[in-house]
Amino acid sequence: MAYLSSLHDIDRTQLAVAGGKGANLGELARIDGVRVPDGFCVTTDAFDRVLATAPAIGARIERLAGLDPDDRNGVRTLGAEIRRALAEITVPAELAAAIDEQLGRLGAHGAYAVRSSATAEDLPTASFAGQQDSYLNVPGPDVCRHVARCWASLFTERAVTYRLRNGFGHRAVRMAVVVQRMVVPRAAGVLFTADPVTGNRKLTCVEAVPGLGEALVSGQANADSYTVRDDAVLDRVVAVKQHALRAAPGGGTEQRPVEPDLRRQPVLTDEQVLRLARLGRRIEAHFGRPQDIEWCLTDAPDPTDGSGSVGGADNSGSVGGADGSGSVGGAEGEFQIVQSRPITTLYPVPAVADDGAYHVFLSVGHQQMMTDAWKPLGISMWQATAAGPMHEAGGRLFVDATKLLAAPPGPWLAMVTRNDPLTGDALRTILGRGDLVPAPPAAPPSGAAAPAPAGPEPLPTDPAIVAELVARSSESIEALRRDIGTHSGAELFDFIVADLADGLKPTLFGPRSHQAIMAGMDAAWWLNDHLAEWLGVTNAADTVSQSVPGNVTAEMGLALLDVADAIRPHPEVVAYLEQAGDDDFLAKLPQLPGGREARDAIRGFLDRYGMRCPAEVDITRPRWSERPSMLLAAILGNVKGFGPGAGTLRFEQGRREAREFERDVLARLRALPDGAGKAAETKRMIDRVRTFAGYREYPKYAMISRYQLYKQAMMREARRLVEAGVLADAEDAHYLTLAEFQDAVRTGRLDAELIRRRKADFLTYQALTPPRVLTSDGEAVTGAYRRDDLPAGALAGTAVSAGTVEGRARVVLDMARADLDPGDILVTTFTDPSWVPVFVGIGGLVTEVGGLMTHGAVIAREYGLPAVVGVENATRLIRDGQRIRVHGTDGHVELLD
């Protein structure tokens, strides 16, 4: 068993032996022209050997695994016990002898950097940056003691908490230690081969301080910063540098004052910055992804010492040469690389961007009110469902808006801005920078102006149109329910693809369906614009839209109030449901007085709405019919918070308020000049809103109804694959695309490694936050509200449902765990139709994601809830239980305590 390994002998494949830092340093040393301080690695086998001799430490580690990451006192106390035991342990004699031998090779009287290198450190998916300890300028005789201190640092409070929160087992993470000759630099710093803030892959960002870079990493020093693009320094900010961290004569480090005449001088010349940027691009190309690099600038290497660094085929200290990048040796000094790790926070770029052209992508999740990561089967199903191409990145979908954005200004950008001002502002930022080349206007064939194509005739305001659309779709769904069971095997997937085209898409995208949706939206916008102009009434359509007929999503929330009516009279049923923790609770209900009635009411609800669930656009998500326990919190909230008949009363109240608002508005209009004409046109638009607005929610309901039938059929095939030994678990099929799933069914073969890799990718994607707007350069372009009318400290958002409400904020991230009292204000990341059951009892709504016509906004207006959406970081800026005031008319949220 090898306890030591030279950096010369390590590469990136040896993570389990050398840890993340050691594996990366060994790989760096293999890159032509990259200089790495020479050294060796105390391997994880040595760490395992030490733990094997101390069973008491192992027992404490097992106890640590059972702690909650929020139990700071427990983590701190137990972690300190483990660290103390490890730090005091005696390094085995044969290991100490091997370390002394390596130090003799490097120069026993020199100084060393002793650096922790955990196996879960500097990974592509999690950096663990700063979680373990390293020590600089360690004298040779003290190296063994500091190796033990590095082992101990695996159990610092921050490292333990990080592992607990990120799902890394304490036993699964092992510690290696890198020992390198100490570099005493003129300057040091970090280099990012992509902008770590915006994600722009075309930018290189350099930060530099005099002396040791630890001062920068630990936040003890102000750094100069440089931005490079296309081999030119675009921007530089020179900091005032009062102190620098230097190697202390007796070991360790110390702060020393910077000479007064150097405090305002740049640490690097522009030429040095460019050479460093080129070096960074070389390292990035080798690793295949953007890197976070730590570097040192030293004087020219000592010609009498050939062991000072490893790497570079000619051992010359050059990072340039024939490719024109130039040497950084000699008077300019030598750059040495002391670490390179992936930048784990960058959002991936859709693969279509590899064509070399500039693209602008819009997030589909922000429009669908579902910004969570999707599994591959869900992504491929949505791609097959969509009207146009959609591109995957980071477990989310994006549409390429480049051509629309490059076209002459039209109504498209105005509509995007109206629905989501943050997306609209980000797009206007891109246009304002001139990043896109405008598309030339198409010339008419004859040179004369071409007449605009005539659009379809507007639909008459006739409720029969909506009834006919719904009836036709319902008949198609019933036909699917009848026919899909007759298909199996690979042919089932062909049947599903055909049904998407012939059964689902006519409801989602058919001309008449689209006209019905737009008729309600256009009328609502007309009312908002004209009544604001004529009467000063803001967001008039919000009140008009209350309790419109045929809104299947709003009806769902009221139907769950009826379920509560069937449960409320039976206290034993209520008590049982309060304790129910699994999904078979329905089977046990008939054993209780009133339980049969309660079961039948819940089953009736599930028969009509059981296909819905949080994040329902991802077909892999468990449906309410699969996990009915997800509804218990909402049902019990309705039992507690409402009386009998609340659903009917709620609907009638909304309808009455809409009628009274209509009468008032029309009376005020008739008193204006040309009032009769204005009132007549307004009445016509109110009728159109109430005729067509409810249909806005139906196409998605129809889609999710079909998705449930597709899923049930596909999961039958997945279970057959389990029986055949092709899949370990039926839900592993969720990590296959539709085509891969079909191929596995056809051939009876599947690469298990593919499933493992997809699961790991999904965990990584869950930690990412998708941007609203993303460019092919990797830049996440953020928008702003650009408002100067907000009260001090207020949070800006988009007004989507009028009114003002003050109350207790409840920050809820999982609907199944919602504990809401009547009048509470729901604060969450996003809401889709599955959240509607909790809407009936809340007083207002605040979300981080959403727009004027997204589902949560539509239902908030239907229920008369003041709502503000698009409030960035609302779930972090608003405390659970804090009193807030939601201004649903003006679009902001005030924090009151």
Side-chain angles (χ1 to χ4, degrees):
M1 190 173 291
Y3 294 143
L4 265 64
S5 183
S6 169
L7 288 182
H8 294 273
D9 301 324
I10 295 172
D11 61 27
R12 71 175 99 178
T13 67
Q14 293 172 270
L15 173 70
V17 172
K21 185 181 278 97
N24 284 351
L25 284 169
E27 188 70 26
L28 282 165
R30 295 166 178 265
I31 305 174
D32 184 31
V34 174
R35 311 293 295 174
V36 176
D38 199 3
F40 60 92
C41 181
V42 181
T43 68
T44 55
D45 290 335
F47 179 69
D48 292 343
R49 160 74 188 281
V50 167
L51 286 185
T53 63
I57 295 177
R60 290 189 180 104
I61 294 173
E62 293 300 328
R63 287 168 52 203
L64 200 61
L67 294 180
D68 187 284
D70 293 322
D71 181 5
R72 296 187 62 183
N73 187 58
V75 169
R76 183 185 304 114
T77 302
L78 193 51
E81 291 177 13
I82 297 171
R83 288 198 309 278
R84 191 160 48 247
L86 278 169
E88 293 172 356
I89 208 162
T90 301
V91 174
E94 66 271 32
L95 176 57
I99 290 174
D100 287 342
E101 181 180 344
Q102 284 289 332
L103 294 178
R105 177 181 68 84
L106 297 174
H109 300 293
Y112 299 90
V114 183
R115 312 172 71 193
S116 61
S117 179
T119 53
E121 182 176 328
D122 298 336
L123 304 180
T125 56
S127 73
F128 275 78
Q131 301 304 316
Q132 283 80 228
D133 293 340
S134 292
Y135 302 92
L136 301 179
N137 199 34
V138 177
D142 292 339
V143 166
C144 282
R145 181 166 60 87
H146 283 80
V147 166
R149 293 177 68 183
C150 285
W151 290 335
S153 73
L154 190 60
F155 298 97
T156 62
E157 180 182 352
R158 63 181 182 273
V160 170
T161 302
Y162 190 95
R163 288 196 296 273
L164 287 171
R165 292 195 187 282
N166 288 276
F168 290 89
H170 302 299
R171 280 289 195 183
V173 180
R174 302 153 72 208
M175 179 69 86
V177 180
V178 174
V179 180
Q180 293 174 278
R181 287 193 56 174
M182 180 67 190
V183 174
V184 182
R186 301 185 207 165
V190 293
L191 159 68
F192 298 96
T193 63
D195 188 322
V197 177
T198 69
N200 194 327
R201 271 56 159 191
K202 295 294 180 69
L203 299 180
T204 297
C205 300
V206 176
E207 293 188 339
V209 295
L212 293 166
E214 177 63 22
L216 171 60
V217 174
S218 62
Q220 300 176 40
N222 296 324
D224 292 354
S225 61
Y226 309 84
T227 303
V228 176
R229 179 168 181 154
D230 298 331
D231 208 36
V233 177
L234 297 184
D235 185 43
R236 68 185 62 76
V237 176
V238 178
V240 178
K241 297 164 282 290
Q242 301 286 354
H243 296 88
L245 191 68
R246 305 286 186 183
T253 60
E254 62 184 12
Q255 288 274 6
R256 296 181 194 167
V258 175
E259 296 178 25
D261 59 337
L262 297 178
R263 290 176 181 173
R264 297 179 183 273
Q265 294 298 311
V267 173
L268 300 176
T269 67
D270 281 4
E271 181 59 28
Q272 288 172 326
V273 170
L274 294 178
R275 289 170 174 163
L276 185 57
R278 294 178 201 133
L279 181 58
R281 290 298 178 196
R282 180 178 300 181
I283 294 170
E284 177 187 66
H286 182 85
F287 283 104
R289 60 184 300 163
Q291 297 288 300
D292 169 1
I293 299 166
E294 297 176 20
W295 55 268
C296 295
L297 177 63
T298 65
D299 292 324
D302 182 352
T304 66
D305 179 10
S307 63
S309 58
V310 295
D314 60 2
N315 200 33
S316 66
S318 168
V319 297
D323 65 357
S325 61
S327 168
V328 293
E332 286 291 295
E334 176 186 70
F335 282 115
Q336 296 205 43
I337 304 302
V338 295
Q339 182 53 305
S340 185
R341 62 176 69 89
I343 306 175
T344 59
T345 56
L346 298 179
Y347 200 85
V349 179
V352 69
D354 292 343
D355 63 3
Y358 185 79
H359 294 264
V360 178
F361 302 100
L362 300 186
S363 164
V364 172
H366 284 81
Q367 302 308 309
Q368 287 296 325
M369 296 287 281
M370 208 293 271
T371 54
D372 288 350
W374 304 39
K375 291 176 182 170
L377 184 60
I379 287 174
S380 61
M381 277 297 299
W382 190 261
Q383 288 173 317
T385 303
M390 292 190 174
H391 310 287
E392 187 274 335
R396 278 83 170 182
L397 285 166
F398 294 81
V399 294
D400 190 342
T402 311
K403 291 182 179 178
L404 283 169
L405 204 57
W412 174 78
L413 183 55
M415 182 176 292
V416 169
T417 303
R418 187 166 196 162
N419 186 55
D420 184 354
L422 292 177
T423 296
D425 186 70
L427 294 176
R428 293 181 190 280
T429 296
I430 292 172
L431 290 174
R433 296 188 314 207
D435 292 350
L436 281 171
V437 178
S446 64
E457 286 291 321
L459 293 178
T461 306
D462 182 358
I465 293 172
V466 171
E468 187 254 338
L469 286 168
V470 171
R472 187 185 305 164
S473 175
S474 298
E475 291 170 5
S476 177
I477 292 169
E478 287 309 307
L480 172 64
R481 193 185 310 277
R482 181 183 64 248
D483 296 342
I484 197 168
T486 65
H487 299 271
S488 63
E491 190 270 335
L492 168 69
F493 295 84
D494 294 330
F495 173 81
I496 290 173
V497 171
D499 186 76
L500 285 169
D502 301 332
L504 177 55
K505 288 189 177 183
T507 299
L508 293 180
F509 312 118
R512 197 162 178 82
S513 180
H514 179 71
Q515 274 188 283
I517 292 171
M518 292 309 300
M521 292 172 61
D522 288 341
W525 290 336
W526 188 97
L527 287 171
N528 285 343
D529 292 343
H530 286 77
L531 294 186
E533 177 187 349
W534 293 338
L535 298 178
V537 175
T538 304
N539 297 334
D542 293 0
T543 306
V544 171
S545 300
Q546 291 186 58
S547 297
V548 296
N551 187 321
V552 68
T553 307
E555 290 169 354
M556 177 176 69
L558 301 179
L560 204 63
L561 286 171
D562 295 339
V563 171
D565 287 350
I567 293 171
R568 190 179 298 105
H570 307 294
E572 291 183 57
V573 172
V574 174
Y576 168 71
L577 293 180
E578 287 175 338
Q579 302 301 318
D582 52 39
D583 290 308
D584 64 353
F585 69 90
L586 285 173
K588 302 174 184 176
L589 275 175
Q591 303 169 19
L592 302 171
R596 190 173 300 276
E597 294 89 334
R599 181 201 62 186
D600 292 345
I602 296 173
R603 280 184 174 171
F605 180 88
L606 291 174
D607 287 345
R608 179 153 173 76
Y609 302 110
M611 77 292 289
R612 313 217 81 149
C613 67
E616 62 190 11
V617 291
D618 180 353
I619 198 171
T620 70
R621 292 298 185 103
R623 311 285 131 176
W624 286 339
S625 58
E626 299 169 45
R627 295 186 186 171
S629 61
M630 289 190 285
L631 289 168
L632 286 176
I635 291 172
L636 291 169
N638 290 346
V639 169
K640 179 176 65 173
F642 295 92
T648 300
L649 293 172
R650 182 70 176 263
F651 185 81
E652 289 302 323
Q653 178 185 347
R655 187 159 58 180
R656 183 171 60 253
E657 290 176 1
R659 281 199 302 263
E660 291 172 354
F661 180 81
E662 177 184 334
R663 282 197 296 267
D664 176 69
V665 163
L666 295 179
R668 291 170 62 190
L669 286 173
R670 292 187 185 103
L672 299 177
D674 191 25
K678 291 175 179 174
E681 186 67 6
T682 298
K683 170 62 175 168
R684 189 175 76 83
M685 291 299 174
I686 290 174
D687 289 346
R688 286 182 75 74
V689 167
R690 296 198 62 79
T691 297
F692 293 112
Y695 181 72
R696 166 73 176 81
E697 291 296 303
Y698 181 79
K700 190 170 189 180
Y701 171 83
M703 179 188 74
I704 299 304
S705 297
R706 299 186 101 92
Y707 267 25
Q708 183 182 40
L709 297 173
Y710 300 155
K711 182 181 183 182
Q712 289 169 346
M714 288 191 291
M715 292 311 290
R716 285 194 291 271
E717 296 300 323
R719 288 189 288 274
R720 291 190 183 108
L721 290 177
V722 173
E723 292 169 2
V726 178
L727 288 177
D729 185 273
E731 291 194 358
D732 285 351
H734 296 170
Y735 296 93
L736 301 172
T737 67
L738 194 62
E740 290 167 345
F741 195 174
Q742 182 180 28
D743 191 57
V745 170
R746 178 187 297 113
T747 64
R749 294 193 302 272
L750 183 66
D751 180 7
E753 175 62 21
L754 175 66
I755 300 293
R756 187 204 64 77
R757 189 169 65 249
R758 293 270 176 81
K759 288 181 176 181
D761 288 343
F762 181 71
L763 288 174
T764 301
Y765 297 153
Q766 285 182 303
L768 297 175
T769 300
R772 284 176 165 82
V773 178
L774 180 68
T775 75
S776 52
D777 290 345
E779 180 185 10
V781 184
T782 56
Y785 286 103
R786 307 191 189 282
R787 294 170 54 180
D788 55 10
D789 61 340
L790 297 179
L795 308 178
T798 301
V800 296
S801 186
T804 300
V805 63
E806 181 178 320
R808 179 180 67 159
R810 296 311 308 266
V811 179
V812 181
L813 302 180
D814 180 355
M815 193 209 83
R817 299 181 179 181
D819 181 16
L820 298 160
D821 290 336
D824 281 347
I825 298 170
L826 173 62
V827 180
T828 188
T829 50
F830 59 80
T831 60
D832 60 12
S834 72
W835 284 78
V836 169
V838 304
F839 277 29
V840 294
I842 60 176
L845 174 68
V846 178
T847 68
E848 295 179 344
V849 175
L852 191 64
M853 295 310 297
T854 47
H855 296 276
V858 171
I859 303 305
R861 292 193 289 272
E862 166 85 15
Y863 287 170
L865 297 175
V868 179
V869 302
V871 180
E872 294 205 291
N873 301 313
T875 59
R876 291 191 288 275
L877 296 174
I878 299 173
R879 301 190 315 275
D880 186 47
Q882 186 174 17
R883 289 199 67 77
I884 63 174
R885 184 180 296 125
V886 178
H887 295 265
T889 304
D890 298 326
H892 66 268
V893 180
E894 289 184 273
L895 311 181
L896 303 180
D897 60 26

